[in-house]
Amino acid sequence: MNSLKIAVAQFEPRDGDKTYNLSVIEKLSRSAKESGADLISFHEMSITAYTFTKDLSRDEILSLAEDIVGGGSVQKLVDIASELDIAILAGFIELDGGKIFNTYVCVHEGKVVAKYRKLHPFISRYMSAGNEYVVFELLGWKCGILICYDNNIIENVRATTLLGAELIFAPHVTGCTPSAMPGRDYVDDELWQNREKDPVSLRLEFNGPKGRRWLLRWLPARAYDNGIYYAFTNPIGYDGEHLKNGNSMVIDPYGEILSETRSFDECYVIARITIDKL
């Protein structure tokens, strides 16, 4: 296909509640399909939620982990994608050979098309690191996956591009947390609770150095420097006790934002990408 309609989603996950999170994934996938999307991408560990796992024991994480073949969550994704005739990308906790991975899958036409394990899974000492880059074909496009911090290592993006990727999916749970960079920090919970009465104050925080402005320091550069499309996803609201700013976006090979979520609610946006820009 010379062009592709990509949906990137945001929603507020519930900690460890796979049934609820999958229901939101299904709802947004259905709506995106009705709006003409060929595929929809969700954030890192969107099926289980992410941040809360930092405080879990190995046994507690194991209770959430699933085999990719026999696990009910991935099969549910396959069923949703098959019913709607749309490709879906989402993240879960994988169990394989006694090891636990932060894994992201692409499902399409009744099967798992691709699987990627996060290379830098520092959220929990019980999670093992992935050890390979992934490039796969989806709807006529060569696609790659890099999860959250994997994208901050510029060589990971270069390596994936050199393997043939034209589009990289970048599922995240990021933003609004402290770091060494000046201006990075948490966003006050009061602003989130008061978001309907005073949306401007919260949007200013989300758009500033704690959130969107930090993303724009490096995310468009990954697309521009490698001449590829980027599909960035991120939750909105709370993931664990950390407030996240959303701003899921599709970026073209020139580093231009084609479409971006700017709501405080669960939603998605669609962008049309074209082969001639590569």
Side-chain angles (χ1 to χ4, degrees):
M1 297 174 66
N2 289 329
S3 68
L4 203 59
K5 286 189 175 180
I6 298 178
V8 288
Q10 65 174 32
F11 72 93
E12 186 175 37
R14 292 181 183 174
D15 295 348
D17 192 341
K18 299 178 189 179
T19 300
Y20 171 80
N21 295 332
L22 280 165
S23 74
V24 178
I25 288 171
E26 180 173 10
K27 177 171 62 174
L28 292 176
S29 298
R30 187 176 302 277
S31 178
K33 176 64 179 181
E34 291 171 353
S35 297
D38 299 305
L39 64 88
I40 185 168
S41 177
F42 295 90
H43 62 264
E44 173 184 17
M45 279 171 56
S46 46
I47 291 174
T48 56
Y50 175 76
T51 305
F52 83 110
T53 61
K54 68 184 175 60
D55 300 317
L56 299 185
S57 68
R58 178 177 172 81
D59 285 343
E60 288 171 327
I61 292 181
L62 280 172
S63 71
L64 295 169
E66 301 179 43
D67 179 89
I68 196 167
V69 177
S73 294
V74 174
Q75 185 56 52
K76 178 65 174 176
L77 288 179
V78 170
D79 293 343
I80 296 169
S82 296
E83 177 193 346
L84 300 178
D85 188 25
I86 190 172
I88 300 176
L89 297 98
F92 74 112
I93 302 173
E94 180 191 5
L95 179 63
D96 183 31
K99 290 185 175 182
I100 303 167
F101 298 95
N102 176 340
T103 298
Y104 199 71
V105 293
C106 174
V107 300
H108 186 228
E109 294 182 334
K111 62 181 180 294
V112 176
V113 176
K115 174 185 76 173
Y116 174 80
R117 293 167 172 171
K118 189 176 184 180
L119 302 178
H120 305 278
F122 50 79
I123 192 68
S124 170
R125 63 191 180 97
Y126 303 114
M127 287 190 175
S128 297
N131 62 1
E132 63 180 354
Y133 301 113
V134 171
V135 173
F136 61 100
E137 187 165 321
L138 179 65
L139 297 166
W141 287 70
K142 293 290 186 181
C143 302
I145 300 168
L146 292 169
I147 299 175
C148 203
Y149 193 78
D150 296 348
N151 293 274
N152 290 101
I153 309 300
I154 60 175
E155 289 82 3
N156 289 335
V157 186
R158 173 60 77 194
T160 304
T161 303
L162 290 174
L163 288 171
E166 301 163 324
L167 161 65
I168 289 181
F169 294 96
H172 280 62
V173 175
T174 195
C176 304
T177 51
S179 82
M181 191 187 95
R184 296 286 311 285
D185 209 341
Y186 298 115
V187 170
D188 194 326
D189 174 67
E190 185 178 347
L191 294 176
W192 176 254
Q193 301 304 332
N194 201 37
R195 63 191 180 278
E196 293 186 3
K197 292 182 179 178
D198 181 16
V200 174
S201 294
L202 179 59
R203 181 51 63 194
L204 286 172
E205 282 283 81
F206 277 178
N207 283 355
K210 297 177 181 180
R212 187 176 189 268
R213 197 189 305 169
W214 171 70
L215 292 172
L216 296 189
R217 287 182 184 274
W218 60 271
L219 192 56
R222 298 295 182 269
Y224 176 76
D225 288 345
N226 291 283
I228 57 170
Y229 287 96
Y230 240 82
F232 165 84
T233 45
N234 197 36
I236 186 69
Y238 278 96
D239 183 283
E241 75 270 33
H242 291 175
L243 187 60
K244 299 302 172 187
N245 53 287
N247 294 111
S248 296
M249 63 182 83
V250 179
I251 304 173
D252 79 3
Y254 300 108
E256 298 287 351
I257 298 171
L258 300 180
S259 196
E260 179 180 1
T261 59
R262 302 302 291 270
S263 168
F264 299 140
D265 301 315
E266 61 185 43
C267 67
Y268 61 88
V269 291
I270 296 175
R272 180 175 174 267
I273 67 173
T274 57
I275 206 77
D276 60 287
K277 279 189 178 181
L278 292 173

